[in-house]
Amino acid sequence: MELAITMSDRETQLIQACLREERWAQKELYESSYGKMLGVCMRYSTCQEDARDILNEAFVKVFRYLSRYQIGTSLDAWIRRIMINTAIDFYRKEMRHRHEDIELVYNNPSENTDLMSSYSVKEILAVIQKLPPSYRAVFNLYAIEGYAHKEIADILNITESTSRSNLVKARSKLKEMLSHLYPQKSQSTNYEE
Amino acid sequence: MKNNFDELFDEQAKNLFQNFEMDFNPQDWTKIERQLNQSDEKFDANARQKLENYEMPYNKQDWAKMETILDKNRRRLPYFWFYKTLEFSFVSLLLLSTALLYSDKSDFEVHQNLAANNNSKTANNNSTAANNNSNAANNNSKSANNNSNAANNNSKSANNNSNAANNNSNAANNNSNAANNNSKSANNNSKSPNNNSNAANNNSNAANNNSKLANNNSNTANNNSNVANNNSNLANNNSKSANNNSKSANNNSNAANNNSNAANNNSNAANNQNELLLLKNAEIANKIQPENGNGDENENLSAASLKKVKLTLPFIRQMRLAAVLGMETHTENSLGRGVASFLAGASLETDINRHFALSFGLHYARRNYELELNSQETRPDGLIFSKKELRNTHLSLLQIPVALQTNVFRNEKWRVYLTSGLNASLIFDKTYSGTLQISAAQTAGNLRMQSNISPREYEGGLFQTGNFVENAFLTAQIGVGAERQLTDHFSLFIQPTYQISFTRFGQNRQDKTRVISLNVGLKTNF
């Protein structure tokens, strides 16, 4: 998705300086995107350390391929896409070295559709990071990034049905983990309902 | 206690409902599915809402880690290009050197063969011993026209040659064999001028015819002996045919391909550009940060801290592309006195470290020479002819310079450096112009001829009729350059250079040259 935007002079100057590999500009771009992008990386990783590795690896790509960025489109979206791609690469590497323990889905602990709203971002992130990588990747790509199952299947090199299945399992497991890890909130939400 | 009726009723009811099924209603499933989807969608939407704009707090350590990675990558990239450049240059020089050495050997053998031909005194062979090429035939016809004493036979032969010569493919080095072939195929060629397979020999036939005529008639213009290489043999012809002699003599005098070396070597962009950029960046940062409102570090940059930044920031390697124009002058050689020449080209430079940079490029050079030759010849009948030849020679060269630059001084605007390296040169084109005057000294005023010289009588460049060994050479070069930074990306430079060839070139590989050049140009870094 490309958004046509009017770039500020400052942003243009920043990009040009980054293209000249000027360190101050690189630092400024890094700082300005750091929070959001690390948040993205956190969702695709199992811990903060991994997320930081992904972030730095992705920023190296950002600086290297910044010349390919089309002025007039959203820089933020472009960087975010690189983050996601790098995270997916990371996921692929992880899958190579790890036997994923795909657990059976527990019985759906709660049909409360407003379950998420009662938890903080950190709590949600914590449970997302506990998901098996294949569930986590599908859930992030589908639920957060808005990719279609076909696209996810292409990106992760799986079938569409696997993508659907993993998504269902990811959701169930998230709900189950949220209920188990934070039972009080889960109960209070049920009561409210 | 149940009675019979009750038992019967229970039994029938059991049988009735045991396999009872309601019809499936799709609407019921749609309803459930919608609820499930809504549930999932809401779950996803909540997750998206929470996570999409989530930002982690900034950690300075992460930037330090990032900076380390960037520095590492920055250091690695120029090394990659440096080694690739070095590799390319080395391979090029190796190939050229190998070719030169190989050519040296074959050249020696060729000269031995030529010597054998000279001993046999087969003057006509000389014409065929020349590079058996199309130029020879055309030469003949032109020479015939230039000479008013040309015999009819010659012009016919020339026509034959011109038809046949287009198909000539023999190499110049086949001189020793050419002599025999020519003498054998002389008659055939004269009868069948369009015989392509014998094209090379057609030239020699013309020469045979001409030499015979020359014996019968001392004034016959034996223009067919347009031999470039076999100078000593041509000298024999000279004694028999006056015109032939004069041309052969000219050939002899023009024996060498006097290649001179082009100046080259674009100067490299200054390393201090890095510091300049960083300083400017810091200034820009100062301007930007107040608008940004969160530049806590850059906001406090003072002039003093800028100087500190300039001193402490790491060296940044760069690659630069340079466009170069140059004027040059060169020493005299067998092609004559060197006159003003020029070169143009491009070069690529890469920093090695703060003090050294490597450059290599591709240049085109045009070199001009002027030659005046005066000579006298005495015919057997005692008639003395004076010859005066004025000839301009233009050489077109391709050059591949590889040079190491050493910085001796630099600041934010200027850089002065020394450069030294090698330059591989290739003469791919030679053109000639000028006049030839012949007068009889004893009958001054009565017999006087002037004609334009025929360029095809002389040796050509590599892409013409020349061979590699006589048209390729290596030079060593040293120079000093000064470079002025104009903007962040552009700089002007001036670079005087002195070159001296350390391999010989030209006909019989007898020439060396020295060149002083002044190059100016524009560089851009990327």
Side-chain angles (χ1 to χ4, degrees):
Chain A
M1 184 176 64
E2 291 180 352
L3 295 174
I5 58 166
T6 308
M7 293 187 74
S8 65
D9 288 344
R10 186 178 158 278
E11 194 174 15
T12 308
Q13 197 177 23
L14 191 69
I15 290 168
Q16 285 172 348
C18 282
L19 287 172
R20 294 193 296 268
E21 295 185 12
E22 292 173 11
R23 189 52 52 83
W24 68 268
Q26 289 177 330
K27 187 181 180 188
E28 194 169 317
L29 185 62
Y30 184 86
E31 283 177 353
S32 64
S33 306
Y34 177 89
K36 277 185 189 173
M37 298 311 155
L38 186 57
V40 172
C41 297
M42 287 286 282
R43 285 192 280 110
Y44 286 86
S45 58
T46 51
C47 63
Q48 200 161 330
E49 277 308 303
D50 283 354
R52 288 194 167 121
D53 286 345
I54 294 170
L55 180 85
N56 282 350
E57 196 177 325
F59 261 109
V60 169
K61 291 179 186 171
V62 167
F63 294 136
R64 187 180 296 165
Y65 300 115
L66 195 59
S67 56
R68 296 183 190 175
Y69 162 68
Q70 293 179 346
I71 301 245
T73 59
S74 167
L75 179 63
D76 213 40
W78 185 76
I79 295 174
R80 189 188 182 93
R81 200 176 178 96
I82 290 178
M83 293 290 155
I84 292 168
N85 288 342
T86 310
I88 296 300
D89 289 343
F90 198 82
Y91 153 79
R92 289 200 185 104
K93 284 178 200 166
E94 199 176 13
M95 291 298 286
R96 259 183 246 136
H97 301 293
R98 161 180 174 163
H99 175 68
E100 190 177 355
D101 182 22
I102 301 177
E103 300 171 40
L104 291 173
V105 182
Y106 295 106
N107 290 328
N108 199 346
S110 171
E111 287 302 327
N112 178 13
T113 55
D114 205 25
L115 184 67
M116 281 283 188
S117 59
S118 57
Y119 296 100
S120 71
V121 179
K122 284 186 180 176
E123 288 168 344
I124 296 169
L125 264 179
V127 292
I128 286 177
Q129 288 184 335
K130 285 194 172 69
L131 282 175
S134 56
Y135 294 177
R136 188 170 58 233
V138 172
F139 179 77
N140 276 319
L141 290 171
Y142 185 90
I144 315 296
E145 314 297 347
Y147 284 84
H149 281 295
K150 187 171 174 19
E151 292 172 304
I152 295 169
D154 290 339
I155 292 169
L156 300 180
N157 201 22
I158 56 176
T159 62
E160 268 188 72
S161 58
T162 305
S163 173
R164 287 178 201 282
S165 165
N166 284 355
L167 178 66
V168 171
K169 289 171 186 171
R171 281 195 196 115
S172 299
K173 194 150 180 63
L174 276 175
K175 288 172 189 172
E176 183 263 331
M177 283 194 292
L178 283 169
S179 304
H180 282 237
L181 290 171
Y182 311 103
Q184 292 170 346
K185 288 191 180 184
S186 177
Q187 284 167 7
S188 66
T189 314
N190 285 330
Y191 293 145
E192 283 167 15
E193 218 176 42
Chain B
M1 189 177 169
K2 290 183 178 179
N3 58 26
N4 288 337
F5 174 78
D6 291 338
E7 286 177 356
L8 186 62
F9 182 83
D10 288 349
E11 185 68 26
Q12 286 182 342
K14 189 180 175 184
N15 290 336
L16 184 65
F17 289 106
Q18 193 169 24
N19 296 318
F20 176 75
E21 284 185 13
M22 285 290 288
D23 291 334
F24 175 70
N25 185 355
Q27 288 181 343
D28 290 339
W29 167 244
T30 309
K31 192 178 176 183
I32 291 169
E33 192 180 30
R34 194 183 303 124
Q35 283 176 346
L36 286 171
N37 285 343
Q38 279 175 351
S39 167
D40 289 342
E41 283 169 11
K42 194 162 186 180
F43 183 83
D44 291 350
N46 284 332
R48 191 182 304 125
Q49 189 185 1
K50 288 267 182 184
L51 298 169
E52 198 168 26
N53 295 317
Y54 173 66
E55 291 191 20
M56 291 284 286
Y58 181 64
N59 186 345
K60 284 185 178 176
Q61 287 180 345
D62 284 345
W63 169 247
K65 197 175 172 185
M66 182 77 220
E67 201 168 22
T68 309
I69 295 169
L70 288 173
D71 283 341
K72 198 175 172 184
N73 287 347
R74 188 175 278 176
R75 279 195 296 272
R76 197 182 296 156
L77 190 65
Y79 274 118
F80 171 79
W81 287 109
F82 169 71
Y83 285 120
K84 283 289 170 196
T85 305
L86 203 64
E87 189 182 324
F88 174 77
S89 306
F90 181 75
V91 170
S92 299
L93 287 172
L94 194 68
L95 287 173
L96 188 63
S97 304
T98 308
L100 284 169
L101 285 173
Y102 177 76
S103 302
D104 275 346
K105 190 180 174 184
S106 58
D107 193 46
F108 177 73
E109 290 168 355
V110 167
H111 282 296
Q112 282 187 325
N113 290 332
L114 287 174
N117 289 335
N118 289 335
N119 292 333
S120 66
K121 296 183 180 178
T122 53
N124 292 328
N125 287 341
N126 295 330
S127 59
T128 53
N131 308 326
N132 294 322
N133 53 45
S134 59
N135 294 332
N138 294 327
N139 233 353
N140 293 332
S141 58
K142 286 187 178 180
S143 298
N145 291 331
N146 291 336
N147 193 330
S148 58
N149 293 326
N152 289 331
N153 275 340
N154 289 332
S155 62
K156 286 178 183 176
S157 298
N159 290 332
N160 290 336
N161 291 329
S162 64
N163 292 328
N166 293 328
N167 300 304
N168 290 339
S169 59
N170 292 335
N173 292 333
N174 296 327
N175 295 330
S176 59
N177 296 327
N180 294 327
N181 292 334
N182 293 330
S183 59
K184 288 176 183 175
S185 57
N187 294 327
N188 290 334
N189 291 327
S190 62
K191 289 175 181 175
S192 56
N194 292 325
N195 189 342
N196 295 337
S197 61
N198 294 322
N201 295 326
N202 284 337
N203 293 327
S204 66
N205 297 332
N208 280 329
N209 290 334
N210 292 330
S211 62
K212 288 173 183 174
L213 287 165
N215 291 331
N216 296 331
N217 185 347
S218 61
N219 289 326
T220 298
N222 194 356
N223 293 318
N224 292 320
S225 56
N226 295 318
V227 182
N229 294 328
N230 297 326
N231 301 320
S232 58
N233 292 331
L234 287 171
N236 293 327
N237 279 339
N238 292 336
S239 63
K240 295 176 180 177
S241 60
N243 291 330
N244 200 10
N245 287 336
S246 65
K247 290 186 179 292
S248 299
N250 292 335
N251 286 334
N252 290 327
S253 64
N254 296 327
N257 293 327
N258 294 311
N259 305 325
S260 55
N261 301 325
N264 43 56
N265 295 329
N266 300 321
S267 58
N268 290 329
N271 292 332
N272 59 14
Q273 190 179 359
N274 300 322
E275 290 181 358
L276 181 64
L277 288 174
L278 290 169
L279 188 61
K280 290 201 170 193
N281 296 337
E283 288 168 356
I284 292 166
N286 265 345
K287 290 176 186 172
I288 290 171
Q289 292 306 330
E291 295 171 16
N292 188 19
N294 57 5
D296 51 351
E297 291 179 8
N298 290 329
E299 273 177 359
N300 299 324
L301 283 176
S302 63
S305 64
L306 284 177
K307 284 182 182 173
K308 190 177 283 182
V309 168
K310 178 194 160 195
L311 291 172
T312 54
L313 282 175
F315 165 72
I316 300 170
R317 287 182 181 81
Q318 289 184 333
M319 293 190 73
R320 292 172 292 277
L321 186 66
V324 59
L325 286 173
M327 293 287 293
E328 57 183 34
T329 180
H330 33 89
T331 52
E332 187 172 0
N333 58 26
S334 62
L335 285 178
R337 179 174 60 88
V339 294
S341 306
F342 72 90
L343 70 85
S347 66
L348 196 62
E349 300 174 3
T350 179
D351 290 329
I352 300 170
N353 55 34
R354 284 183 188 277
H355 305 292
F356 296 101
L358 187 75
S359 78
F360 75 100
L362 184 65
H363 293 171
Y364 164 80
R366 175 87 166 173
R367 291 182 179 173
N368 305 311
Y369 296 88
E370 287 178 353
L371 179 68
E372 181 176 336
L373 280 177
N374 293 297
S375 62
Q376 280 194 338
E377 291 169 9
T378 305
R379 274 179 28 190
D381 60 1
L383 191 62
I384 299 173
F385 285 90
S386 295
K387 290 188 300 177
K388 181 179 181 183
E389 183 184 1
L390 299 171
R391 190 176 68 207
N392 297 316
T393 306
H394 313 285
L395 305 182
S396 296
L397 294 93
L398 276 179
Q399 299 178 319
I400 302 174
V402 181
L404 183 72
Q405 296 178 352
T406 309
N407 295 327
V408 291
F409 167 79
R410 72 173 184 183
N411 60 21
E412 290 165 4
K413 292 196 180 296
W414 287 95
R415 180 174 80 109
V416 180
Y417 57 91
L418 298 174
T419 177
S420 59
L422 296 176
N423 193 351
S425 299
L426 199 65
I427 303 168
F428 67 89
D429 185 74
K430 292 178 182 176
T431 55
Y432 302 90
S433 62
T435 58
L436 175 65
Q437 293 177 358
I438 300 173
S439 57
Q442 293 177 341
T443 55
N446 293 334
L447 181 60
R448 186 183 179 89
M449 292 179 295
Q450 179 170 332
S451 61
N452 293 326
I453 65 167
S454 177
R456 292 176 183 178
E457 292 179 15
Y458 307 106
E459 67 273 15
L462 185 65
F463 294 172
Q464 298 168 307
T465 59
N467 56 30
F468 181 79
V469 68
E470 292 178 347
N471 290 292
F473 59 97
L474 285 172
T475 58
Q477 60 178 29
I478 55 169
V480 58
E483 186 177 332
R484 171 69 161 82
Q485 200 70 34
L486 297 178
T487 66
D488 287 352
H489 290 288
F490 292 99
S491 59
L492 281 175
F493 71 94
I494 183 166
Q495 182 183 309
T497 307
Y498 174 74
Q499 294 180 47
I500 182 166
S501 58
F502 62 86
T503 61
R504 292 178 182 273
F505 59 95
Q507 195 167 30
N508 300 326
R509 306 209 53 202
Q510 62 181 359
D511 284 328
K512 281 193 167 189
T513 189
R514 297 183 185 90
V515 180
I516 296 173
S517 63
L518 182 66
N519 298 344
V520 294
L522 182 70
K523 290 180 188 176
T524 179
N525 64 306
F526 58 90

